[in-house]
Amino acid sequence: MYNIVTKRELVPHINLFEFSAKEIAVKTKPGQFIILRVNEKGERIPLTMADVDPEKGTITVVCHEVGKSTRQLGQLEEGDCILDLLGPLGKPAEIGKFGIVLCIGGGVMVAPLYFQAKALHEAGNKVIGGIGARTENQLIFENEMREVCDEFYVATDDGTRGYKGLGFLEELLKERKIDRVITMGPILMMKKVSELTRPYSVPTIVNLIPIMVDGMGMCGACRVTVGGRTLFACVDGPDFDGHQVDFEELMTRLKMYSPQEKLAFVFYEEGGSSL
Ligand SMILES: Cc1cc2nc3c(=O)[nH]c(=O)nc-3n(C[C@H](O)[C@H](O)[C@H](O)COP(=O)(O)OP(=O)(O)OC[C@H]3O[C@@H](n4cnc5c(N)ncnc54)[C@H](O)[C@@H]3O)c2cc1C
Ligand code: FES
């Protein structure tokens, strides 16, 4: 059993959890993820780590409640326990000295992007941060990102705060020499970022989070096509070259179980528990 040391609601339905998990905390590098189960009947929930504290023996994740399992997790409180926690999984993000690195995050994935941005900053890069959300009151981890970025931009889809959409990226690409772009967030956003950087030949790393089951390369659920090759996001990624990813296929695969997911959520919200 793993204990919830801290739970904090960042915005409605997006919670930060700090779990006591010393053996994972000491091994984790930015970009890696865990898979947890709330209870014996619980589905496996992959979450990318947003920070670790090896001395305290804790890991931090931020979870958006989008369906039944994430809602179940969101209903737990400090002091509660979850059944199991597997990790660290996936390849660590490449943290090198690249020069000017632009870190673009959207929605809940701004939290794990912070972990990478912090490491890139510590490695001596000039880090430019750009974070976004659908609307102003959905923005998370703004202060954390500001702390590790040398320059910082905010954007919202509806224009309620900062730039509307990715206008800041277009301006930066035209005016500056960017050495590397790292993007984590909704697929459509990562696809758009990759399309914008392609004409400038800026290496662009995207973080792919397809449906996963075992997280260890055995079930094939997380397969993605990158550069015409079939790869498994859980062991070959989750970071890939954004200019090589087949985003259309990824989007189609993510919608594969939508009817069942909607049904499970409705049933759970109405008081059922076993779907
Ligand atoms: C490696 C990895 C890391 C992840 N990191 C985080 C994280 O740090 N924070 C976080 O909040 N979520 C993260 N996710 C997504 C999270 O695991 C899913 O949202 C969760 O498992 C959904 O479970 P559910 O039963 O609540 O919803 P479901 O009933 O399974 O799905 C509800 C809705 O969410 C969509 N959905 C489900 N899984 C995904 C996914 N992987 N990507 C996009 N949409 C999805 C479905 O299409 C559906 O519309 C990560 C996923 C992976 C594979
Ligand atoms: S989740 Fe099973 S192979 Fe990646």
Side-chain angles (χ1 to χ4, degrees):
M1 302 288 271
Y2 291 85
N3 186 251
I4 300 174
V5 181
T6 309
K7 178 194 175 189
R8 189 155 48 91
E9 185 183 69
L10 301 181
V11 299
H13 302 300
I14 299 187
N15 296 299
L16 176 150
F17 293 93
E18 197 186 8
F19 291 105
S20 175
K22 177 114 190 154
E23 69 285 10
I24 299 178
V26 294
K27 287 191 213 146
T28 296
K29 303 247 176 356
Q32 291 187 294
F33 65 96
I34 50 155
I35 293 187
L36 66 80
R37 275 195 312 160
V38 170
N39 55 39
E40 268 177 21
K41 284 189 176 172
E43 271 184 343
R44 298 156 70 83
I45 310 177
L47 296 168
T48 310
M49 279 170 282
D51 213 349
V52 293
D53 186 334
E55 276 174 29
K56 216 166 116 189
T58 58
I59 61 166
T60 301
V61 290
V62 175
C63 181
H64 191 179
E65 295 171 18
V66 293
K68 180 193 158 190
S69 308
T70 45
R71 175 60 55 87
Q72 268 181 325
L73 177 64
Q75 285 169 343
L76 299 181
E77 299 299 340
E78 271 175 28
D80 287 341
C81 287
I82 56 162
L83 179 69
D84 52 43
L85 228 174
L86 178 68
L89 300 168
K91 282 190 183 162
E94 195 184 342
I95 306 295
K97 183 127 191 240
F98 302 109
I100 301 181
V101 184
L102 180 50
C103 293
I104 303 178
V108 69
M109 298 310 280
V110 172
L113 180 67
Y114 156 76
F115 195 13
Q116 284 200 40
K118 184 167 72 162
L120 286 161
H121 185 73
E122 283 166 4
N125 295 284
K126 175 173 174 157
V127 179
I128 304 179
I131 68 163
R134 270 189 300 109
T135 189
E136 178 174 20
N137 59 16
Q138 288 285 307
L139 286 163
I140 63 162
F141 262 54
E142 181 175 344
N143 292 338
E144 289 85 345
M145 280 294 282
R146 276 185 192 279
E147 266 176 37
V148 297
C149 291
D150 300 281
E151 206 176 311
F152 192 69
Y153 297 84
V154 175
T156 46
D157 292 346
D158 63 2
T160 43
R161 176 87 190 281
Y163 281 79
K164 192 164 185 217
L166 289 165
F168 73 93
L169 173 60
E170 293 177 58
E171 283 176 18
L172 281 169
L173 288 167
K174 272 188 206 141
E175 291 162 12
R176 310 266 282 275
K177 185 189 167 297
I178 307 291
D179 296 299
R180 191 175 176 90
V181 171
I182 293 159
T183 180
M184 297 177 83
I187 299 177
L188 277 176
M189 184 201 84
M190 295 191 290
K191 179 173 184 267
K192 181 79 186 158
V193 169
S194 304
E195 280 164 7
L196 288 171
T197 58
R198 191 193 301 274
Y200 297 90
S201 302
V202 180
T204 301
I205 308 302
V206 297
N207 181 266
L208 302 187
I209 53 170
I211 292 170
M212 289 190 185
V213 181
D214 66 311
M216 290 189 285
M218 289 184 287
C219 69
C222 68
R223 66 180 181 275
V224 288
T225 304
V226 184
R229 289 200 306 149
T230 298
L231 299 174
F232 292 165
C234 66
V235 286
D236 299 314
D239 284 350
F240 294 99
D241 176 352
H243 297 151
Q244 302 281 325
V245 170
D246 184 339
F247 287 103
E248 301 302 326
E249 180 197 59
L250 178 60
M251 283 188 277
T252 308
R253 285 184 58 78
L254 260 174
K255 289 187 204 133
M256 225 163 29
Y257 299 107
S258 276
Q260 292 89 337
E261 287 160 354
K262 282 194 188 112
L263 198 61
F265 191 46
V266 170
F267 187 77
Y268 177 71
E269 289 293 274
E270 286 177 356
S273 63
S274 58
L275 251 188

